[in-house]
Amino acid sequence: MSTFSVPRTAFVAVAAVAVALTALAGCKDTPSAKGADPATAPASAAPTSAAPIAGAFEPEAALAEAQKAPYAATMKATTEVAGREAATMSGRANLETVFTGRMEVRTAGDPAMWVETVTTADGNYVRDRSKAGDGWVKVPRSADNQASYAGYAKLLLATGPSAKKGMENQGGVPVYHLSGRLDIDQVASVDPRTHRSMKAKGVTGFDCDQWIDGQGRTVRFDQRMDMRGTPGANKVLFSEFGPVETFAQPTKG
């Protein structure tokens, strides 16, 4: 591994973002409260209109559809620590199946890092774009690198009727808003990698908001947690859904 010069903190950032996938979100810019776009409104905000939303559905039926077939999606995410942006992630990945995809991760701080990753069925390929001349290096992938966002939604529903916040509109798409608090050990059944990572950071549970479409696909996923006294948040936005894609080993260059 001597040919690979990415600091260990880069791997931490990659792992954290991949969670958020687990998880990290496209709603970085915060509009003013007046005239705010519903897609970027605070999680606690009520729908902008009391009128029924066309295409309304029940979340249980939508989730049953989501788990019938995996899919690919574009992900845009942010991780915040103590209210400040710590990392961003963007790329495309396969979801509701063994995780594969291509991502770009940028971390804040000094020095800032820019890491590109390709996760295939047999490994993770990483290169440090912040250093000229650094090429791809293969590192082992976790056997449990798989997260079920439908599984997260089912965990929220299991917390009780208060989790069902009702229909809203995100970017012109009717979605169902779920919200609640999950104990960290509950997460082990749907996202073992995140469970392991968060528990190591002292996270005992987190508040979670999730928006799903009529096919049970997650459109937005927000987490808020405490890491040994430091507040943190992961925010993820999903779009451009399609069939599962193949992500191959990257070529040199």
Side-chain angles (χ1 to χ4, degrees):
M1 196 69 68
S2 59
T3 59
F4 189 51
S5 57
V6 176
R8 183 178 180 278
T9 50
F11 287 103
V12 173
V14 171
V17 178
V19 164
L21 186 125
T22 110
L24 322 157
C27 305
K28 174 181 174 183
D29 297 326
T30 304
S32 62
K34 183 178 181 180
D37 188 314
T40 56
S44 59
T48 55
S49 173
I53 295 177
F57 57 87
E58 288 300 318
E60 294 86 352
L63 291 170
E65 289 299 314
Q67 292 189 308
K68 290 180 180 179
Y71 55 90
T74 295
M75 300 172 65
K76 295 182 179 179
T78 61
T79 292
E80 296 178 358
V81 177
R84 301 183 65 178
E85 185 178 289
T88 63
M89 179 193 74
S90 61
R92 193 160 178 83
N94 291 322
L95 303 173
E96 297 304 328
T97 184
V98 175
F99 181 85
T100 55
R102 187 174 190 125
M103 298 288 165
E104 180 180 281
V105 182
R106 294 175 183 261
T107 66
D110 187 14
M113 286 176 285
W114 175 17
V115 178
E116 194 173 3
T117 70
V118 177
T119 303
T120 68
D122 71 337
N124 289 313
Y125 298 84
V126 186
R127 66 173 172 177
D128 186 357
R129 296 297 302 276
S130 60
K131 295 182 179 180
D134 272 23
W136 292 100
V137 173
K138 182 179 179 180
V139 296
R141 63 168 290 149
S142 300
D144 58 2
N145 191 358
Q146 177 175 353
S148 171
Y149 283 98
Y152 270 108
K154 288 186 175 183
L155 289 179
L156 286 172
L157 285 170
T159 64
S162 63
K164 301 176 73 171
K165 303 304 180 184
M167 294 296 302
E168 297 181 16
N169 188 298
Q170 294 265 346
V173 177
V175 294
Y176 202 100
H177 182 186
L178 301 170
S179 182
R181 183 167 181 82
L182 298 177
D183 182 89
I184 192 61
D185 287 330
Q186 290 177 277
V187 176
S189 63
V190 299
D191 195 350
R193 190 172 184 226
T194 295
H195 169 259
R196 188 169 62 247
S197 174
M198 287 189 171
K199 198 159 189 177
K201 294 176 176 64
V203 177
T204 58
F206 54 83
D207 295 314
C208 181
D209 282 87
Q210 186 170 2
W211 292 259
I212 62 173
D213 67 12
Q215 297 182 53
R217 301 171 303 197
T218 299
V219 174
R220 179 178 165 189
F221 187 81
D222 293 359
Q223 295 170 305
R224 297 167 302 284
M225 67 209 75
D226 179 272
M227 299 176 290
R228 296 193 177 98
T230 301
N234 290 321
K235 304 177 183 180
V236 193
L237 196 68
F238 303 85
S239 63
E240 300 177 317
F241 299 109
V244 167
E245 300 172 12
T246 299
F247 294 92
Q249 174 182 344
T251 58
K252 293 182 180 181

